[in-house]
Amino acid sequence: MSNQPYSPDKVWQWKEGNGGKFANINRPTSGSRFDQPLPKGEHSLQLYSLATPNGIKVTILLEELLEAGMSEANYDAYTIDIMEGEQFSSGFAQVNPNSKIPALIDASQNPPLRVFESGSILLYLAEKFAAFLPKDIAAKTECLNWLFWQMGSAPILGGGFGHFYAYAPEKFEYPIDRYTMEVKRQLDVLNKHLASNKFLCGNDYTIADIAIWPWYGQLVDGKLYDAAEFLDVNKYANVQRWSNEIAARPAVKRGCIVNKTWGEPHEQLHQRHHSIDFELKTQDKLFKE
């Protein structure tokens, strides 16, 4: 580990190897890097994603919509391997010029409509299906307050704490302390709010919960960055209660394994096209064929 202080150049220059663990894909430029169209399935909703916290927000909502009996929410889900740079294909960059998962195409619209950024996708689907988003103006506003709280807060957790605690090639006290303090403050915000609310918006489960749970629920459950002990997550009992209740939902269990390519084989469904795929197409079933 280097003990030398870093003095920035007057003008930053990209160098081979910048980015640590992600050096093979990180560049200071946007746009496609190779030509490759995206696959398409039979359903109107086409999802291109990976089972990261941002990715499973969308698959959880889609599975919740199907669980609620909305067959029009059936979807095809294709894995985009972000560690291999598949998000920089020409096809994916046309759906999301920012080259980040998840990205959605709604072919029921003419012309087909692209939707990118996880919060935008959640709001789009909730409005399209009139579900998991309150209709009352006060309740809807509170839901959107927490939805956008997540959009602003999670980069501190993922890009800040997660990067410097788990992924940076060298560990330094200052950035880890800086982001740990902020993540614990965010957990305290949630813990105090959930002391008097069953879900983020009171008694109703909404897209606010679906947005926040993959990050903060999985964090207190020890599934992010192997950091539960470091963050002393047992202090946040209300967040744990809320997280456990959401994790037990059948649609959440299904949504978490769609586009997952790591972990136990029975928890990996690389592509999802039909509800029966959860019974027949997980990796443990495919290995037996």
Side-chain angles (χ1 to χ4, degrees):
M1 181 179 293
S2 173
N3 291 318
Q4 298 299 317
Y6 170 58
S7 179
D9 295 333
K10 288 186 176 180
V11 178
W12 183 86
Q13 297 291 326
W14 179 80
K15 300 174 184 177
E16 193 76 34
N18 276 358
K21 182 176 180 178
F22 308 100
N24 65 318
I25 57 171
N26 280 357
R27 299 289 186 278
T29 55
S30 63
S32 64
R33 299 177 188 171
F34 59 95
D35 289 329
Q36 182 175 305
L38 290 174
K40 295 180 181 179
E42 65 181 64
H43 301 298
S44 295
L45 297 175
Q46 300 289 299
L47 179 66
Y48 306 95
S49 191
L50 191 67
T52 65
N54 283 334
I56 65 173
K57 294 176 193 174
V58 179
T59 48
I60 287 172
L61 177 55
L62 287 166
E63 291 298 327
E64 291 282 11
L65 291 167
L66 291 169
E67 184 85 7
M70 301 179 190
S71 59
E72 298 86 355
N74 233 317
Y75 66 103
D76 295 283
Y78 293 94
T79 295
I80 299 296
D81 189 339
I82 60 175
M83 295 305 296
E84 294 299 321
E86 292 180 0
Q87 68 273 34
F88 298 108
S89 73
S90 56
F92 191 86
Q94 287 176 352
V95 182
N96 185 355
N98 196 37
S99 292
K100 301 289 185 180
I101 60 96
L104 179 77
I105 294 177
D106 184 354
S108 71
Q109 303 297 314
N110 188 18
L113 187 64
R114 73 179 187 183
V115 195
F116 61 88
E117 291 296 328
S118 60
S120 179
I121 298 173
L122 292 185
L123 185 55
Y124 175 79
L125 291 173
E127 291 185 329
K128 177 182 177 72
F129 292 100
F132 302 106
L133 180 66
K135 295 180 175 61
D136 172 77
I137 185 62
K140 180 179 180 179
T141 300
E142 181 70 357
C143 178
L144 295 182
N145 287 341
W146 286 106
L147 175 65
F148 286 98
W149 178 89
Q150 188 275 319
M151 298 298 133
S153 297
I156 299 294
L157 172 53
F161 173 79
H163 180 80
F164 286 104
Y165 182 78
Y167 299 134
E170 297 180 301
K171 294 190 185 302
F172 292 100
E173 183 177 7
Y174 173 76
I176 292 176
D177 281 353
R178 164 70 180 88
Y179 289 111
T180 298
M181 178 171 58
E182 177 61 12
V183 167
K184 288 181 72 66
R185 189 194 68 81
Q186 292 173 356
L187 286 169
D188 192 52
V189 169
L190 290 174
N191 200 58
K192 288 175 178 175
H193 180 70
L194 290 166
S196 56
N197 292 276
K198 181 179 181 181
F199 296 110
L200 269 301
C201 300
N203 290 324
D204 294 328
Y205 173 70
T206 70
I207 56 172
D209 301 284
I210 293 172
I212 293 171
W213 180 84
W215 284 102
Y216 297 89
Q218 293 200 113
L219 183 68
V220 299
D221 196 32
K223 294 180 179 178
L224 279 186
Y225 312 124
D226 194 24
E229 181 179 7
F230 182 73
L231 293 171
D232 193 16
V233 298
N234 290 331
K235 289 180 60 176
Y236 309 105
N238 300 318
V239 181
Q240 290 183 321
R241 183 272 307 160
W242 163 83
S243 178
N244 290 338
E245 185 163 349
I246 292 175
R249 297 175 69 93
V252 173
K253 292 179 180 180
R254 293 196 302 272
C256 283
I257 73 170
V258 177
N259 299 141
K260 190 175 182 182
T261 59
W262 60 91
E264 295 296 325
H266 71 278
E267 296 179 340
Q268 297 183 41
L269 184 62
H270 292 188
Q271 293 187 17
R272 186 267 186 219
H273 302 287
H274 304 282
S275 60
I276 196 67
D277 291 348
F278 291 100
E279 299 177 24
L280 302 179
K281 299 295 185 179
T282 53
Q283 287 300 103
D284 59 320
K285 304 297 193 312
L286 296 178
F287 286 158
K288 292 179 180 179
E289 293 181 357

